[in-house]
Amino acid sequence: MGKLGKKARKFAKKNLQSVMKRQRKQKSVFKKRATKKGGRGDEVVEEDSIQQTNDRSIQVEDVGALSFDAMFNEHDSDVTGDDSGSDGYLSEEAGCTDMDETKTESNLEDSGGDTGASVKNRIVFKELAKQKKKLDRLKGKDPGFVKYLESMKSGICSTKEDNQSSDADESDDDSRHLIDEDGAILGIGKLLSSSTVDSLCQLVKDQQDVPSLVRLLNAYRAGSHYGTKSFGVLRGAGSLAKIMIFVLQEANDVFRKILGVSSSSEKKVILELRNTATWKKVKPLIKLYLRSTMFLLNEVTDSEILTFVLKRLRASIIFFAAFPSLLQRLIKISIHLWTTSKGALSVESFLVMQNVAGVFNSDLFDTCFDKAYKTIIGHCKFVDPAFFGHLQFLKKSFIELCSQDMQKSLRKAIISIRQLAKILQLGLQTKQKEAVKRICSWQYVNCIDLWVEFISVNIHDYNLLPLLHTMIQIINGVAVLFPGPRYLPLRVKTVQWLNLLSSSCGTFIPVTSLALDVLEYKIEKEGQKAGKDFTLSSDVKLPKHWMKSRNFLEACVFSALELLAVHFAQWGYHISFPELATIPLIHLKKFHDRTSIESSRRLVKRFIDQVEQNVEFVRKKRDEVAFSPKDEQLVASFLQMESSSGNLPFIQYYKSLLEKAASRDLLLSKNLSSPEPKKAKGKKQRPPNGIINAAKEMEIGEE
């Protein structure tokens, strides 16, 4: 390549000085390294070492940079155009249904972002900013000018107060001012008696009278702001209650009748009406109703009232198409109530979010998905046992939300599962404390649990095999990373996930080795005394003192048998079950011979007998068939009649084992929730042992 020309060198010298400076610096560094040893190889070694240190620094930074929801931050910004405080009362004069501010606001909403009006507004704002800067400079130079401005301002305020008081004196007897705590007039509204409210409601309901609706909506707005700092206490609580209930119940139907919109209409109908005269007349009323109702949701704390208000807002979902920022606020409020509330309020909040995602699918499904996912992940950092039931509801409802648009949900699921794989890969490679701690956390566990449930629910209807394979690798990686006895709850969860995936997709996933590893846990000092009761679902990592009690060893036996029972029950009808059960039976017999706990020996012996009976049953049936293993259809139909009727020796034992396990968990939860009894003087009381009691109950039931 030839030399640069004169103009090119001049341009580079003028505009690319930083690049040239960096190049000269790198050359000097490499020259110094080369002069020490006198060879090119040292220069390459230096470059390689720099690259290695950079890679290591990147890895260290990635430990804190990898988060569970970092990929879902693009929808965090909410539109705030409709969230301004200029939603004053509507004028109650005949033929006028909006104030000047509302008209200006609606014109700005209807116009595009790059119209001539918006450009003029920007120019005006720039001029105002310049004038303000000049005024600030004058204030700094001339203090007397500041005093003059303050005196003029106080004179103007006193003049306004005199005019307002004179207007109030000249007003009719039935009109009053709505005044806040500071004495500022907020709007003019007529005090409505009970009979007046009834007549207005009748006019609105029967004739859709707009002036009457305006008066009711003004009172409804005042009622929604009742008791706040900005608005004073209104009189006539009985009339106000009638107005609030009537507007919430009937406003949606009245708006639809005025606009000629049916209850089954879609959002495009509202968007098509935006340029009509009827819409321009009704739009301020709809906006005032929606905005006041949204404010009411933020102020009310009673769950029944919130449920009713959300139900009425859900009926008016399509009207939010004209007010994007109010729709963003509705999503935010519904997600908050869905996560933090319980019962009917949480269900109704989810239905609002589901309707928003269904009506505005192409526009707001991503927002609903991202915010819901981030909210679930944010609320499961520290999981309380009392929160387990509600957390399961959140997961199931989130999976139902995903069904609104499975194509987008699959793309986002792939992104999230890849993020989990990156975090696990980083932990396996570096073994850093922060990376390992992030994997052994409730957030990581609940993320896996959520996507395992998502795959198991949808795998029959959609091609989720790539997700299935990735998830199986992640679960196996977690089991490999945490093999110790303190991670017994995490090991149990990994086998439960694999069993769920295997049963939902009908694919064999080997889990016997992971379950049998639980029986191989070795404790330095086996406790002879029974310790405190504990449940494996309450923690991801067990405290050290729990592993020194006999309760821990019994919990290991129970967990291993339950996990193996689920696995064997799924494949108990398969033609290859005898081969599947051979190695687990060998390990169980060895454990039965070496254990010294009699209750565990009895449970293991009972389990071995049931598995051997099932093996013999399958072998006898297999000897009677005339087809070869190559006949896949006949192999798949093997023991199909027994499978449909549930007539199998091991299945009966499996059902009884699940029932006893459920009763055991219930007993443990009661023991953990109830306070410890006080010790009587002179008597030694043995602490309650839920696992031993449950074991005895199981033995008695089996006999």
Side-chain angles (χ1 to χ4, degrees), residues 544-573:
K544 290 183 179 180
H545 65 274
W546 280 4
M547 296 186 297
K548 297 180 180 180
S549 65
R550 191 168 60 218
N551 293 32
F552 174 75
L553 298 177
E554 293 177 352
C556 292
V557 176
F558 272 105
S559 302
L561 295 183
E562 289 175 10
L563 297 173
L564 288 174
V566 175
H567 183 62
F568 288 164
Q570 180 185 354
W571 301 103
Y573 300 100

Side-chain angles (χ1 to χ4, degrees), residues 388-620:
F388 284 153
H390 186 60
L391 184 60
Q392 292 301 319
F393 165 75
L394 295 180
K395 292 176 183 177
K396 291 183 182 300
S397 54
F398 176 78
I399 294 171
E400 188 175 348
L401 176 67
C402 294
S403 63
Q404 298 283 338
D405 192 336
M406 280 300 299
Q407 298 300 324
K408 290 184 178 180
S409 299
L410 288 177
R411 289 197 294 267
K412 292 179 178 294
I414 291 172
I415 295 173
S416 179
I417 292 175
R418 284 179 180 174
Q419 191 77 354
L420 295 177
K422 288 180 182 179
I423 296 173
L424 178 63
Q425 185 180 9
L426 190 63
L428 290 171
Q429 290 177 352
T430 62
K431 298 294 180 67
Q432 293 181 1
K433 183 178 180 180
E434 184 178 352
V436 173
K437 186 178 180 181
R438 181 167 297 183
I439 298 171
C440 186
S441 65
W442 277 117
Q443 274 190 313
Y444 197 87
V445 168
N446 282 296
C447 281
I448 295 179
D449 189 69
L450 176 64
W451 295 120
V452 166
E453 187 73 22
F454 173 81
I455 294 172
S456 62
V457 170
N458 298 293
I459 194 166
H460 289 293
D461 301 326
Y462 302 93
N463 183 19
L464 302 182
L465 289 180
L467 287 181
L468 176 65
H469 296 157
T470 306
M471 186 56 66
I472 292 174
Q473 292 177 355
I474 291 174
I475 295 172
N476 287 326
V478 172
V480 170
L481 186 60
F482 302 101
R486 290 191 65 186
Y487 301 99
L488 173 64
L490 191 57
R491 173 58 62 96
V492 171
K493 290 181 187 299
T494 56
V495 182
Q496 289 175 347
W497 291 330
L498 293 176
N499 279 333
L500 179 60
L501 292 175
S502 178
S503 62
S504 60
C505 66
T507 305
F508 175 76
I509 301 176
V511 299
T512 53
S513 60
L514 297 177
L516 291 172
D517 286 344
V518 176
L519 297 177
E520 302 298 328
Y521 287 153
K522 294 181 179 179
I523 310 300
E524 295 180 0
K525 296 180 180 180
E526 291 188 6
Q528 300 298 326
K529 296 182 179 180
K532 294 182 179 180
D533 293 329
F534 63 92
T535 57
L536 297 180
S537 60
S538 60
D539 290 280
V540 180
K541 181 180 178 181
L542 295 177
K544 290 183 179 180
H545 65 274
W546 280 4
M547 296 186 297
K548 297 180 180 180
S549 65
R550 191 168 60 218
N551 293 32
F552 174 75
L553 298 177
E554 293 177 352
C556 292
V557 176
F558 272 105
S559 302
L561 295 183
E562 289 175 10
L563 297 173
L564 288 174
V566 175
H567 183 62
F568 288 164
Q570 180 185 354
W571 301 103
Y573 300 100
H574 201 269
I575 197 170
S576 62
F577 180 77
E579 289 74 19
L580 172 65
T582 300
I583 295 178
L585 284 175
I586 294 173
H587 283 274
L588 289 174
K589 289 177 181 179
K590 288 182 179 180
F591 177 79
H592 176 267
D593 294 338
R594 73 169 181 265
T595 186
S596 59
I597 302 175
E598 187 62 27
S599 60
S600 298
R601 287 171 59 87
R602 292 180 181 178
L603 289 174
V604 173
K605 184 65 169 64
R606 177 67 174 168
F607 187 85
I608 292 173
D609 294 340
Q610 294 296 324
V611 174
E612 288 179 343
Q613 289 180 18
N614 200 85
V615 169
E616 290 298 325
F617 179 81
V618 174
R619 279 177 179 170
K620 289 180 180 179

